[in-house]
Structure formats: C-alpha cells, structure tokens
C-alpha cells in the first residue's frame, strides 16, 4: 500500500510529517506540543495556544492578525487543545489555499508558515510578558468552557465518568485545567511556562494538503533548532489498572434526565478486535445497545460505547429516566454478556464492519481529519493508514471478538440523577 504519510525528526524532540493528496485545494499545518496531563499545568497548556493564536509582535491585535489572514485568501489560524489518554495535546494550526489557486501563483504557503512562526516564536508582549488584558480574556474563556461542560449534562456526565474510571491518573484531568488553578495564572507565570514549553516539550508538526511542504519543514526546523531545546521524555499513556472492587458514585443535580456512565477495563493487546467488539456492542445504529436497549426496550434516550484504547478502557454512556436506571444497567450488562457468550450473528458482525469501513473511508475527506488520525496513531505507537485498519477490521474473527469482550471487567459506575426522588 502506498505510504502517503512520511515522518522524520528535524530537531531534538521535533518530528515533521507530511501527507500529500492532490485532491485538496488547501494546505493545513498543525504544530502540536505534547505533555502528560497534570492538574497544575493543564490550564497553562490550554491558555498559551489561545493567546499565541490571536496576535504576534508584527500583528499585535486580533484585528490586525485577522486582516493579514484575509489578505492570504481568508486563511485560518487557531489553537488546538485536546487529549489522548494521559497525554495533553496543545498548539496551533494554520490553513490556506494552495499556491496553484492563488493569483499569479502567489507563495501563500510560505507566507502562512512565516505567519505561524511569528505567532509561535514572536508573541506580542507587554512589559516583557503576555499582555494582561489578553491573558484575562483567555483565562475567562477557559473558565467558560469548563462551566459550559457542567451545563451540558451529557458532556459533564461523560467527564465525571472518566474521572472516576481514571481516578488518580493523568487521564482524569480536564484538558482545560481546573477553574481555581486557571484563576491563579499570572502574565509572568504564563510567559515563563511558554518559554519552558518551547524548550522541553516534544513537538509533532503535521502538514496535510496538495502543496510542497519542504519550505515549511525548513522554516520551522530552523526556528526550532535555534532554541536551546532539552526535551523531556516523550509522554505516553499507561493502561489503567483495574479497581479492586467496582466503584459506584451517584451525584444529584437539578436534571430532567438522568445520565449513566459505566466503565470497563482490559489488558487486551488486539486493539482491532477491541474496536470491532465495542462497535458491535454500542458504536452504531445496528449495535446491540441501540437496537435492543434503546429501540426495543425503550430504556434510554441514547446509549453507546466508546474506547480509550491507550488506557485499555471502554465507557458506555446513556441518558435514562430516573426510574429506569437499574433496568438500563441490567439491560446493558445483558447485551455485553451476549457478546461475551457469542450470542450474535455473522450478519451482525458484517453490518458493523461495513459501517466501520465507511467511517474510515471518510477520514481522508478532510485535511483536519487526516492530521488528527495520524497524530493519534503516533501517540498509540503504530502509524497505520485508515485503509490498512479497514483491512484488519475485515479479518477480525468471531472468536477474536468474543475474546476481546471477555477481556473486559467492570470497573466503575457514575450516575447523575435528579435531586428529587423518583415516583414509586
């Protein structure tokens, strides 16, 4: 299979990757810093890209930066904050049309890279630090993001379920940090953290599009090699240990619909079989959780499973009426036992495999999806194309699905329910 994705080290702890596809009329560059999630640093790591993406020393206001982006055929530039297991990913992205579509073949990509470098390495400063006003605005944005998660009870329950499952592990930490920690950040603290980030973080640069990224590699490589870098060990996720006994936590709020988050742990190594098993259980409209628990039994408004492969964990999320919580739990476990016992048809498996294959085909439709795909594969330790995973999925056997299901054991249950008692 043709290897469109190429990756190499261009500076100490800095890897440059490119994926060329002539179908695209745009080019995208992601510069991603990686760090182990920690309560004290997560807020800094989310805050700094937000500040860097909105100004630089040449364009010290957001208005001026946006005007420059407009001149580059309405290019885009923004911040990235997310996580993969125990690892926090944060940085900047920039995207613009390919030079071939610009007037007189203007060197848009080169100009975009220089603008990205200005934001990364030459930020707008005030008295030697990040401007106070810009800092406070972005701090409030992070706090608002955290508060928005609380207001969205589905998202909130998923996060609390993960916190319980990964208790005392990096994966339990919010990607935006805790509000009390965010409020403490000063302009001096943030700037010192930024300088340390440039020196010690491992960096992944991923370019996707139809352009020639050799100049981007040269410009970014030269800029990073000028820094006295002493990168720390590459952050990695660790399999989450099984709790000695199942933990159940119930939280009460003013909610109209209860939320149920059930976590399971596994030390299984066949990640492809785990993917198919989880999809068969609750990853699709033809899955057992959807067709039986939601449709046939009408016990929940939504019910699905998802994996955190790097942690060896699977979560099942559902929204239920308060009086149906225990019934829903029992029904979910029954469907899981059905898979463990092989109570599913070959047709069930083929439907799920077709759905998974279709989803994998769509990865290559957008430059952002491609960048995300390969970044996650790098972090998981095996760089494979979506097409290769689709081939592996097609070869997963019934026995491997059953074995993957039986490798999981129940770990924890989080319930978000109403403050009022359900009617008898």
């Amino acid at each position: 299979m043709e290897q469109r994705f190429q990756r190499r080290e261009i500076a100490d702890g800095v890897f440059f990757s490119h994926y060329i596809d002539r179908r695209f009329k745009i080019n995208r560059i992601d510069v991603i810093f990686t760090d182990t999630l920690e309560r004290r640093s997560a807020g800094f790591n989310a805050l700094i890209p937000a500040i860097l993406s909105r100004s630089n020393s040449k364009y010290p206001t957001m208005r001026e930066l946006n005007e420059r982006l407009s001149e580059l055929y309405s290019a885009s530039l923004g911040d990235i904050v997310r996580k993969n297991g125990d690892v926090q990913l944060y940085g900047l992205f920039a995207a613009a049309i390919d030079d071939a579509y610009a007037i007189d073949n203007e060197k848009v990509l080169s100009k975009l890279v220089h603008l990205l470098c200005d934001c990364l390495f030459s930020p707008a400063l005030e008295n030697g630090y990040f401007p106070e006003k810009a800092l406070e605005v972005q701090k409030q944005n992070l706090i608002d993001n955290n508060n928005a998660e609380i207001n969205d009870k589905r998202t909130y329950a998923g996060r609390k379920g993960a916190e319980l499952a990964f208790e005392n592990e990096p994966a339990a930490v919010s990607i935006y940090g805790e509000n009390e920690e965010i409020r403490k950040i000063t302009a001096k603290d943030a700037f010192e953290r930024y300088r340390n980030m440039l020196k010690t973080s491992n960096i992944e640069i991923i370019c996707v599009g139809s352009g020639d990224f050799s100049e981007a590699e040269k410009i970014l490589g030269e800029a990073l090699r000028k820094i006295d870098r002493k990168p720390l060990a590459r952050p990695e996720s660790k399999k989450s240990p099984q709790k000695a006994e199942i933990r159940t936590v119930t939280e009460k709020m003013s909610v109209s619909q209860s939320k149920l988050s059930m976590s399971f742990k596994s030390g299984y190594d066949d990640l492809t079989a785990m993917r198919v098993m989880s999809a068969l259980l609750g990853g699709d409209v033809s899955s057992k959780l959807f067709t039986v628990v939601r449709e046939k039994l009408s016990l929940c408004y939504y019910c699905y499973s998802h994996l955190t492969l790097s942690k060896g964990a699977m979560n099942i999320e559902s929204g239920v009426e308060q009086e149906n919580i225990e019934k829903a739990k029992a029904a979910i476990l029954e469907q899981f036992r059905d898979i463990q016992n092989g109570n599913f048809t070959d047709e069930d498996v083929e439907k799920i495999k077709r759905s998974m294959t279709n989803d994998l085909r769509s990865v290559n439709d957008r430059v952002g999806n491609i960048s995300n795909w390969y970044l996650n594969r790098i972090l998981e330790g095996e760089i494979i194309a979506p097409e290769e995973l689709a081939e592996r999925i097609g070869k997963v056997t019934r026995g491997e699905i059953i074995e993957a299901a039986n490798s999981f054991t129940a770990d924890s249950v989080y319930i978000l329910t109403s403050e009022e008692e359900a009617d008898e």
Side-chain angles (χ1 to χ4, degrees):
M1 184 179 294
E2 179 188 0
Q3 294 297 318
R4 286 180 172 175
F5 184 80
Q6 303 291 330
R7 178 174 179 259
R8 55 184 167 271
E9 191 169 14
I10 61 170
D12 197 5
V14 181
F15 287 83
F16 183 92
S17 305
H18 68 265
Y19 180 100
I20 307 299
D21 190 328
R22 302 301 177 189
R23 295 177 304 152
F24 295 121
K25 295 182 179 180
I26 63 171
N27 298 304
R28 174 173 169 136
I29 303 169
D30 290 9
V31 181
I32 308 293
F33 298 80
T34 61
D35 197 4
T36 300
L37 268 165
E38 293 182 2
R39 190 173 184 273
R40 62 180 178 81
S41 61
F44 280 102
N45 294 344
L47 178 67
I48 291 167
I51 295 173
L52 298 179
S53 66
R54 287 163 172 81
S55 66
N56 59 51
S57 60
K58 291 183 181 177
Y59 305 98
T61 67
M62 188 183 298
R63 179 181 60 79
E64 291 170 303
L65 181 59
N66 284 336
E67 286 176 354
R68 179 54 180 155
L69 290 167
S70 294
E71 292 170 357
L72 295 176
Y73 299 86
S74 295
S76 57
L77 191 152
D79 59 307
I80 297 169
V81 184
R82 57 180 184 270
K83 70 177 178 179
N84 181 308
D86 293 331
V87 181
Q88 186 178 21
L89 314 168
Y90 57 101
L92 302 185
F93 77 89
I97 65 168
D98 186 62
D99 296 355
Y101 302 97
I103 298 172
D104 297 328
N105 289 327
E106 182 182 352
K107 301 298 182 183
V108 178
L109 180 56
S110 175
K111 293 176 180 178
L112 185 70
V113 176
H114 281 292
L115 184 60
L116 181 60
C117 282
D118 288 338
C119 290
L120 282 166
F121 307 117
S122 183
L125 301 179
E126 181 180 272
N127 300 320
Y129 305 119
F130 291 129
E132 286 283 353
K133 185 177 180 181
L135 179 81
E136 292 304 318
V137 168
Q138 299 312 320
K139 283 169 61 175
Q140 188 59 51
N141 284 344
L142 291 184
I143 291 169
D144 290 344
N145 284 338
N146 282 333
N147 293 340
E149 281 194 355
I150 296 174
N151 294 330
D152 180 349
K153 297 302 186 287
R154 182 169 173 170
T155 302
Y156 175 77
R159 193 182 90 182
K160 297 298 286 188
E163 286 179 4
L164 178 61
F166 304 132
E167 194 172 24
N168 300 319
E169 299 175 60
V173 177
S174 166
I175 59 170
Y176 300 120
E178 303 295 332
N179 286 353
E180 59 187 86
E181 296 294 326
I182 295 169
R183 292 188 180 98
K184 296 176 186 176
I185 297 175
T186 66
K188 180 180 179 182
D189 292 338
F191 187 69
E192 289 179 352
R193 174 72 187 181
Y194 156 73
R195 294 204 301 177
N196 186 63
M197 174 186 93
L198 292 179
K199 292 180 180 180
T200 65
S201 292
N202 286 271
I203 304 173
E204 294 285 343
I205 302 170
I206 301 180
C207 302
V208 181
S210 57
D212 179 358
F213 293 109
S214 58
E215 189 168 4
E217 178 180 355
K218 177 182 177 183
I219 294 168
L220 285 161
E222 287 177 351
L224 287 161
R225 286 190 292 271
K226 289 178 182 177
I227 299 170
D228 182 22
R229 285 183 48 77
K230 294 180 175 60
L232 301 173
R234 291 184 65 79
E236 296 181 351
S237 293
K238 296 180 180 178
K239 290 288 180 69
S240 184
Q242 179 73 43
K243 291 180 175 56
E245 59 183 31
I246 299 173
R247 286 275 312 280
T248 299
V249 171
T250 300
E251 184 176 1
K252 294 189 175 184
M253 283 187 179
S254 178
V255 294
S256 57
Q257 181 190 111
S258 296
K259 311 296 180 186
L260 174 63
S261 178
M262 304 172 67
S263 299
F264 302 80
K265 302 282 182 65
S266 168
Y268 200 57
D269 291 327
D270 188 341
L271 302 187
T272 307
M274 286 174 71
R275 288 177 188 269
V276 178
M277 184 280 299
S278 177
L280 179 63
L281 175 62
D284 185 83
V285 293
S286 60
S287 68
K288 283 183 165 288
L289 295 183
F290 188 93
T291 58
V292 178
V293 181
R294 183 184 185 277
E295 296 294 289
K296 182 179 178 180
L297 300 177
S298 299
L299 287 174
C300 56
Y301 296 95
Y302 63 87
C303 192
Y304 64 93
S305 61
H306 64 92
L307 293 166
T308 305
L309 288 171
S310 58
K311 300 293 293 177
M314 178 175 69
N315 271 55
I316 297 175
E317 314 286 347
S318 59
V320 301
E321 293 293 343
Q322 186 175 10
E323 62 269 21
N324 287 334
I325 291 174
E326 292 305 318
K327 292 178 183 177
K329 283 171 60 178
I332 289 167
L333 290 173
E334 183 179 357
Q335 297 312 306
F336 196 10
R337 282 193 295 271
D338 269 356
I339 295 180
Q340 291 174 324
N341 295 328
N343 295 331
F344 54 88
T345 67
D346 290 341
E347 184 182 1
D348 294 334
V349 176
E350 289 308 310
K351 282 182 182 179
I352 289 299
K353 286 183 176 181
R354 284 196 298 270
S355 176
M356 296 176 74
T357 299
N358 287 336
D359 288 343
L360 287 167
R361 287 195 184 112
S362 70
V363 169
N364 290 330
D365 291 341
R366 298 175 66 88
V367 290
N369 290 347
I370 294 170
S371 181
N372 291 342
W373 170 269
Y374 283 102
L375 178 60
N376 287 329
R377 302 295 81 74
I378 289 166
L379 294 171
E380 290 166 8
E382 185 183 19
I383 303 175
I384 61 172
E387 297 86 352
E388 185 175 350
L389 180 57
E391 287 182 10
R392 293 184 186 182
I393 285 170
K395 296 175 182 177
V396 171
T397 66
R398 179 186 188 83
E400 289 168 339
I401 294 171
I402 294 170
E403 188 176 352
N406 280 287
S407 73
F408 281 94
T409 53
D411 179 84
S412 54
V413 178
Y414 171 81
I415 300 168
L416 176 66
T417 192
S418 173
E419 295 169 335
E420 300 177 1
E421 294 298 327
D423 294 335
E424 295 295 334

